[in-house]
Amino acid sequence: MSAAVEEQMVVKAIREECPWESLPKRLQSTLHTKDEWHRRIVDYCIRKRLQWNTCFARRVYREGEYYEEMMRYLRKNLALYPYHLADYICRVLRISPFRYYCDILFETMKNEQPYDSIPNFTAADALRLTGVGRNEFIDIMNKCRSKKLMWKLNKSIAKDLLPTQPVDFPIEPWWGVCLVNFTLEEFKKLSEEETATIDKICKEEANSYVLFDPKIIDDLYKRGLVYFDVPVYTDDRFKVSRLEGFVSNKDQSYEDPIEELLYAVFVVSSANATVAELAATLQADLYQLQAAASFACRLGWAVKLVDADSLLKDEGGPAFPSSILSDDEEGSNASINSEKSGQQSLSIDTNGPRKISGTAHVGFVVDANVTSYLMMGSLSPGLKSHAITLYEAGKLGDSCIAELCSDLASLEGKKFEGVLEEFANHAFSLRWSLECLKSGGVSTNKNSDNTDDANTSTSSLHDNVTAHLVNVNIEDTTEDGHDEVPHDNHSTSDLDNKDGNVSSMSVDLSEDGESLVRVKAENGSTDTTVLTIQRKYTVDVLRCESLASLAPATLERLFLRDYDIIVSIVPLPSSSVLPGPSGPIHFGPPSYSSMTPWMKLVLYTAGHCGPLSAVFMKGQRFRLLPEPLAGCEKALLWSWDDSVVGGLGGNFEGNLVKGNLLLHCLNSMLKQSAVLVQPLSTNDLNESGNLVTVDIPLPLKNDDNSIASVVAQANLPKEQVFNLASVLKDLSSKFQLSTLGYLRLLRLNRLVESDKFHPENTSYQWVPLSLEFGIPLFNPNLCERICEQVVASHILQKADLAEHNDVMHNVRRRLRELCSEYQATGPVAKLFNKRGSSRDLPRTLINSISSRWNLTDDSASPTNREAPSEHERLKLAGRQRCRTEVVGFDGSTVRSYALSPEHDESTSKPISGDQSSTHEGKSDAEDADSKDVVLPGVNLVFDGAELHPFDIGACLQARQPLWLIAEACVASSTFL
């Protein structure tokens, strides 16, 4: 029996509390003895930090022995103090948190272990209670080592250098005060005030810290006679603040459910969600979640939202349930109720895109690189705390955003060089992005009062309306904290007008954020005023690696519960988790396929324009380059596994390699992944031998459906603007671009006849190179232009983002169709790679197009032909195409031929919108959730207008038909 299977059976038996006699025989044979079974029970319960009276260990161990064994295990692993078990460990065993952490620090020093060996949460809690941090730890060790002989003979001298009393730390008024088991000697030493205080603690059911004299309680605590309980109830709400005092040492190497749950709690926490709702979101044990929230409050990382009126009331009930594993009726009902409330809060209308009203909650997803940039103390010391919180907690709440932007603004005007300049660029971009999202895409410089000639009565009316709308917002705030407008978008109230002219006012809230205010006077006349009331926006910064660590179902519940809009940076790591189509509106990659070169092919085929591109399958090896690549000056390389993503911050630049190195680079990269290659001639490059590109911010169109401002932002010479505008208009008509991101255009040497009307535009042409979804932080200029475009398009102010939803659905559909058509199991790949190789299939030669692929005038190229005239090239580019057209290279000539359609009728039929479902294979939601990278199953070439299979068998080394390899494998296996 394997170790994994054995462990699963042991855990199942412990949870079912099976005695030794009832264990399966094969498990008994593995454990050998009854004592070994008891040891496994205790080990499991200790690892899970279970209470003795509620776990299986109560049947095999005494209570004192169990907790003593647990404390030995915790000390050995330098683990966190088990505050949820303080009722026995602190009250009976008299092991206070201060004493426990002093013992841990001493053991670490005695074993001469570094400070970094202490886990993060343990070090942070020890620092809070003992005041011994990294610097103090090093100082004590240096003092000990200075006494070399004494240190070698008696290492207990380190204990004398540790503090003898806990340091002062903040205590919240709602914390509970609990007594330990006194000895007779301790009781005799109490003063009258202390005795009265202890009597009050024993008699009063409510023992909140605020009810007692703080000086007396603090003195009793430092003598170890009282300890603090941090009660957390199922209906409590918390707000996670910055992780002040967090110590970044190492990840724990042992199992601690409280610590593991803390990281998840930081990510999913919300001031609008109760503890029970958080447990329902995480599908976590409610008792352990309460313990994790209690610990976060102890360290000041979470703030309990306490009702001042209920602070002195009788709380009633224990801080934690009496049992973890019990199935009592009350606990079951509580779980069911919390689960139902969680489901109700997550319910949305799945029949269409989500609509936003009231307050829009935005989640801005970044990666760990951003935390690294903010961590640089040389940029701004104030940013380090934000960086630690974002990295460790995985989230920066809306309450921290204003302070973060203020710290980022302190970098303005400073000069940075080298790598620091790149870090500063990310900081500038982050600030602009957060301010843009926080304002809801509305310019802060915009003058809201466009009616300067308004009279006094209108101004007075405006004041009355504003006051009324404030009351409406307060009254219509739902219990979960989300501001919602009335369902009928209408409210009416009576106004107390001193002049007696106005009797009533009605407010109609439209979907676009405008309020139509109708004021009815006593004489019966009605006046209508239009006021633009911007929607309020809250922004949380989320780290994608922390989101990816959550279970998919948990992440989906988090998105649906807390956010209306998700905005992602670009590029995102391939391990990131994307919201599904039924989740929040996502301004980012619509699916994982869009983060691969498939997106480029979709863009090229949709617009019927783009650079010459060749796609090669993984695992091939070339002996010579095919004609589109032979003799090129340079080439752009893109892989399906992101191995060629270059530049600091991972910005999508691709790899630009020289033509004489292309063969070697291709053979090296094809071992790991499929590759897309885009050859470039000398005329396609500038004088420095580099690409000429321009980044167009998205959304492309302004609120008035114009693209003039986008073209003006490009800052191109006047003779280039006309060509750019025409390309953008043509592309936007074929491929909608109403989303956040940027479109990169590439300037290529023009191969068409001269334009009679614009002769200055005959030397080049702009073609799309790539389309990226999200906000790029690596380019502050581009990021600022995208934010300006968000303001100009009013895209975030729309209550119904149906247009964006349709665009993303269309992108996902196009990606599915392209991937399903050209993947290994697709119809084109099946036909092209069928038995006997494609060269054995009947074909009809269309023409020889070798001259069309020539990229240079180098006569030494073996495949070079006489350069055709412009008329011949136009005729060639406009040739009649068919669905089964294949471009082939036999080593000397490139030819275009068509396979006989009777061999596979499915490939000869174009894929229409109605028939696309036959190739989809996955639903829209499944495609967005699938992280599987679909690789090309056939070599492809995009000739500038169409995508075709590419027959390059003559260029490959030791090429054998697939059917022959399969038969050889079957035959060889019979001899084994």
Side-chain angles (χ1 to χ4, degrees):
M1 183 168 56
S2 64
V5 175
E6 176 193 345
E7 183 64 24
Q8 292 177 3
M9 294 182 64
V10 168
V11 171
K12 184 176 183 294
I14 293 175
R15 289 177 175 175
E16 296 175 354
E17 298 191 0
C18 295
W20 170 258
E21 294 76 12
S22 302
L23 288 179
K25 295 299 180 183
R26 58 177 179 175
L27 195 56
Q28 286 185 354
S29 62
T30 303
L31 298 174
H32 302 298
T33 64
K34 186 176 182 179
D35 292 339
E36 176 65 16
W37 169 235
H38 291 172
R39 188 187 66 80
R40 296 290 290 271
I41 293 173
V42 174
D43 289 346
Y44 174 81
C45 295
I46 288 177
R47 291 199 314 270
K48 296 297 183 181
R49 311 294 195 273
L50 303 181
Q51 285 182 329
W52 174 82
N53 59 346
T54 61
C55 67
F56 195 17
R58 71 185 183 278
R59 298 190 179 182
V60 297
Y61 255 45
R62 293 195 180 115
E63 187 175 15
E65 295 175 348
Y66 173 75
Y67 285 117
E68 288 175 357
E69 181 70 23
M70 175 180 289
M71 297 309 293
R72 283 192 291 269
Y73 169 82
L74 297 180
R75 286 193 184 95
K76 178 183 177 181
N77 291 282
L78 308 178
L80 187 67
Y81 184 84
Y83 286 101
H84 63 292
L85 305 176
D87 184 59
Y88 190 93
I89 294 175
C90 201
R91 180 179 61 84
V92 179
L93 295 182
R94 300 289 298 272
I95 303 176
S96 66
F98 171 75
R99 174 188 164 190
Y100 171 78
Y101 287 124
C102 285
D103 292 342
I104 282 183
L105 292 172
F106 171 68
E107 290 296 328
T108 305
M109 294 177 180
K110 187 177 69 173
N111 298 328
E112 299 192 36
Q113 294 176 278
Y115 183 78
D116 292 341
S117 63
I118 305 176
N120 297 341
F121 290 108
T122 303
D125 202 21
L127 174 62
R128 178 180 69 98
L129 296 176
T130 66
V132 178
R134 186 184 305 274
N135 295 333
E136 293 78 10
F137 184 91
I138 295 175
D139 290 342
I140 294 175
M141 289 297 296
N142 290 336
K143 291 179 182 179
C144 294
R145 288 166 181 166
S146 64
K147 306 175 183 180
K148 295 182 180 179
L149 183 59
M150 295 178 61
W151 175 248
K152 292 180 179 179
L153 296 177
N154 184 13
K155 293 191 175 184
S156 63
I157 61 175
K159 185 172 293 186
D160 299 333
L161 299 176
L162 290 172
T164 58
Q165 286 187 344
V167 299
D168 295 331
F169 57 88
I171 303 174
E172 295 295 332
W174 53 273
W175 287 15
V177 182
C178 303
L179 298 175
V180 301
N181 291 348
F182 286 71
T183 64
L184 183 60
E185 296 296 327
E186 290 172 335
F187 191 79
K188 290 180 180 179
K189 295 179 181 180
L190 295 175
S191 64
E192 294 182 4
E193 294 82 0
E194 292 173 344
T195 303
T197 300
I198 289 175
D199 290 340
K200 185 177 181 180
I201 294 175
C202 295
K203 294 179 181 178
E204 296 288 342
E205 293 183 3
N207 58 349
S208 298
Y209 177 74
V210 72
L211 300 176
F212 304 97
D213 187 345
K215 293 183 179 179
I216 296 177
I217 295 298
D218 293 348
D219 185 61
L220 291 174
Y221 172 75
K222 290 182 178 180
R223 288 153 54 190
L225 301 181
V226 298
Y227 63 94
F228 297 110
D229 177 36
V230 182
V232 174
Y233 305 99
T234 57
D235 57 346
D236 285 339
R237 300 173 188 268
F238 295 90
K239 180 179 68 174
V240 175
S241 58
R242 289 196 293 177
L243 302 187
E244 297 289 352
F246 190 90
V247 181
S248 299
N249 281 348
K250 69 166 190 174
D251 295 330
Q252 71 222 32
S253 58
Y254 57 92
E255 182 177 359
D256 189 336
I258 304 300
E259 289 195 25
E260 294 170 358
L261 195 57
L262 268 173
Y263 287 105
V265 169
F266 289 147
V267 179
V268 305
S269 64
S270 172
N272 302 318
T274 64
V275 172
E277 291 170 349
L278 290 179
T281 301
L282 291 171
Q283 295 294 292
D285 183 87
L286 184 58
Y287 174 77
Q288 292 182 347
L289 186 63
Q290 288 175 289
S294 175
F295 175 75
C297 290
R298 286 181 184 272
L299 271 71
W301 297 341
V303 179
K304 184 178 180 180
L305 304 180
V306 181
D307 184 3
D309 296 333
S310 63
L311 182 62
L312 302 179
K313 293 181 180 179
D314 180 13
E315 299 289 348
F320 301 109
S322 59
S323 173
I324 301 177
L325 302 177
S326 62
D327 293 326
D328 58 289
E329 182 178 357
E330 182 178 355
S332 301
N333 292 336
S335 300
I336 294 174
N337 292 334
S338 63
E339 183 177 357
K340 287 183 178 180
S341 64
Q343 291 176 352
Q344 291 174 359
S345 64
L346 302 180
S347 62
I348 60 169
D349 184 10
T350 57
N351 295 328
R354 300 177 62 178
K355 294 186 178 182
I356 306 173
S357 58
T359 299
H361 301 270
V362 182
F364 186 41
V365 180
V366 301
D367 61 0
N369 288 330
V370 175
T371 63
S372 301
Y373 304 148
L374 297 181
M375 191 73 74
M376 299 298 295
S378 55
L379 290 181
S380 173
L383 295 175
K384 187 174 182 179
S385 176
H386 294 293
I388 292 176
T389 302
L390 181 58
Y391 183 81
E392 298 294 345
K395 177 181 179 180
L396 272 178
D398 180 72
S399 59
C400 302
I401 300 303
E403 186 176 357
L404 173 61
C405 291
S406 177
D407 291 337
L408 293 172
S410 64
L411 303 179
E412 294 287 349
K414 296 183 180 180
K415 294 183 179 180
F416 301 95
E417 297 179 355
V419 178
L420 285 182
E421 183 179 2
E422 190 66 31
F423 294 164
N425 288 340
H426 279 74
F428 298 150
S429 300
L430 180 61
R431 176 197 167 194
W432 292 327
S433 302
L434 291 177
E435 290 179 347
C436 177
L437 296 176
K438 188 71 175 176
S439 66
V442 177
S443 177
T444 56
N445 298 325
K446 182 179 179 181
N447 185 10
S448 58
D449 187 9
N450 295 325
T451 57
D452 296 335
D453 57 344
N455 53 30
T456 307
S457 60
T458 304
S459 177
S460 176
L461 173 63
H462 183 276
D463 295 338
N464 289 332
V465 170
T466 304
H468 175 76
L469 290 178
V470 170
N471 294 330
V472 170
N473 288 337
I474 296 176
E475 295 172 359
D476 296 329
T477 301
T478 58
E479 294 182 358
D480 61 354
H482 291 70
D483 297 335
E484 300 289 347
V485 297
H487 293 291
D488 56 357
N489 289 341
H490 179 80
S491 61
T492 306
S493 67
D494 295 331
L495 297 180
D496 185 12
N497 193 302
K498 295 181 179 179
D499 299 333
N501 296 326
V502 180
S503 61
S504 65
M505 178 182 67
S506 63
V507 182
D508 293 338
L509 300 179
S510 60
E511 291 184 355
D512 57 0
E514 291 185 347
S515 299
L516 306 179
V517 184
R518 295 180 175 86
V519 181
K520 184 177 181 180
E522 290 184 350
N523 57 10
S525 61
T526 301
D527 185 20
T528 301
T529 305
V530 179
L531 297 178
T532 302
I533 308 298
Q534 268 79 29
R535 189 182 300 113
K536 179 183 178 183
Y537 280 75
T538 64
V539 181
D540 293 344
V541 181
L542 306 172
R543 189 167 67 91
C544 61
E545 291 83 0
S546 297
L547 297 177
S549 65
L550 300 175
T554 299
L555 188 59
E556 182 180 4
R557 288 190 292 268
L558 170 65
F559 281 151
L560 294 177
R561 187 198 70 191
D562 289 345
Y563 299 107
D564 302 302
I565 298 174
I566 299 293
V567 180
S568 301
I569 67 167
V570 55
L572 277 179
S574 56
S575 59
S576 303
V577 181
L578 306 180
S582 61
I585 299 167
H586 184 208
F587 290 101
S591 67
Y592 294 97
S593 299
S594 65
M595 303 164 67
T596 67
W598 285 121
M599 189 64 234
K600 301 181 187 300
L601 299 179
V602 167
L603 179 65
Y604 302 160
T605 54
H608 297 289
C609 64
L612 176 63
S613 307
V615 177
F616 302 116
M617 292 186 296
K618 175 183 176 181
Q620 300 178 122
R621 186 171 181 83
F622 287 87
R623 65 181 181 87
L624 58 89
L625 293 174
E627 174 65 20
L629 310 182
C632 68
E633 179 66 20
K634 291 185 178 180
L636 267 175
L637 300 181
W638 315 81
S639 74
W640 261 256
D641 64 350
D642 295 336
S643 62
V644 297
V645 175
L648 186 62
N651 46 315
F652 291 136
E653 300 290 348
N655 272 9
L656 186 64
V657 301
K658 294 183 178 180
N660 54 2
L661 300 176
L662 182 57
L663 180 61
H664 170 72
C665 293
L666 264 181
N667 286 335
S668 299
M669 292 177 58
L670 288 174
K671 296 178 182 178
Q672 307 296 329
S673 175
V675 180
L676 184 145
V677 187
Q678 295 173 332
L680 302 167
S681 69
T682 305
N683 296 330
D684 295 329
L685 306 174
N686 60 12
E687 295 79 4
S688 303
N690 296 321
L691 300 174
V692 180
T693 61
V694 60
D695 293 328
I696 304 299
L698 303 179
L700 186 60
K701 295 182 179 180
N702 295 339
D703 194 34
D704 56 357
N705 290 327
S706 66
I707 64 172
S709 62
V710 176
V711 176
Q713 288 179 1
N715 294 325
L716 294 175
K718 182 178 180 181
E719 63 272 9
Q720 301 182 18
V721 171
F722 173 79
N723 177 262
L724 179 64
S726 61
V727 171
L728 292 178
K729 289 180 181 179
D730 182 66
L731 189 61
S732 62
S733 64
K734 300 175 182 177
F735 198 93
Q736 295 181 349
L737 299 173
S738 58
T739 184
L740 266 64
Y742 67 95
L743 173 69
R744 176 163 293 177
L745 299 178
L746 173 66
R747 197 187 74 178
L748 295 179
N749 184 39
R750 195 176 186 91
L751 297 177
V752 298
E753 286 185 332
S754 299
D755 192 332
K756 297 180 181 180
F757 299 98
H758 297 277
E760 67 275 11
N761 296 320
T762 58
S763 60
Y764 64 88
Q765 60 178 340
W766 291 102
V767 296
L769 179 62
S770 59
L771 174 62
E772 307 299 343
F773 301 93
I775 297 181
L777 299 184
F778 56 83
N779 189 334
N781 181 37
L782 177 59
C783 180
E784 185 178 13
R785 290 161 55 200
I786 291 176
C787 293
E788 292 175 356
Q789 213 38 42
V790 170
V791 174
S793 63
H794 295 168
I795 189 171
L796 294 181
Q797 285 298 318
K798 299 177 181 178
D800 187 355
L801 295 176
E803 182 181 2
H804 176 268
N805 188 74
D806 294 340
V807 170
M808 294 298 101
H809 174 74
N810 183 48
V811 172
R812 284 190 291 267
R813 178 183 59 82
R814 289 177 181 271
L815 283 166
R816 281 199 308 273
E817 291 178 355
L818 193 72
C819 293
S820 61
E821 185 175 4
Y822 294 112
Q823 63 182 348
T825 57
V828 175
K830 286 182 178 179
L831 174 63
F832 192 69
N833 296 325
K834 68 187 305 182
R835 180 186 178 96
S837 172
S838 62
R839 67 181 59 190
D840 298 332
L841 297 175
R843 64 188 68 189
T844 303
L845 179 65
I846 297 178
N847 51 30
S848 173
I849 57 176
S850 185
S851 57
R852 186 175 194 274
W853 299 115
N854 273 334
L855 303 177
T856 66
D857 296 329
D858 184 9
S859 59
S861 175
T863 58
N864 191 33
R865 298 291 182 270
E866 183 179 355
S869 64
E870 292 294 332
H871 176 74
E872 292 174 344
R873 293 195 180 196
L874 282 174
K875 182 179 179 182
L876 189 60
R879 68 186 187 278
Q880 184 69 29
R881 292 180 172 88
C882 63
R883 188 68 183 172
T884 57
E885 180 178 350
V886 175
V887 176
F889 179 69
D890 60 5
S892 60
T893 306
V894 177
R895 292 184 175 88
S896 175
Y897 60 87
L899 299 179
S900 180
E902 62 268 12
H903 285 80
D904 195 326
E905 295 182 358
S906 62
T907 60
S908 62
K909 297 179 180 179
I911 301 178
S912 63
D914 299 335
Q915 296 172 336
S916 62
S917 59
T918 60
H919 293 289
E920 285 182 2
K922 294 181 180 180
S923 65
D924 203 21
E926 290 175 347
D927 177 71
D929 294 338
S930 176
K931 288 188 176 182
D932 296 334
V933 178
V934 178
L935 296 178
V938 63
N939 298 315
L940 301 170
V941 62
F942 179 77
D943 60 7
E946 299 288 342
L947 186 65
H948 301 290
F950 194 23
D951 188 358
I952 55 171
C955 302
L956 301 179
Q957 289 187 5
R959 180 179 185 273
Q960 297 292 339
L962 297 179
W963 64 269
L964 182 58
I965 297 175
E967 290 184 359
C969 293
V970 174
S972 60
S973 62
T974 59
F975 296 102
L976 298 178

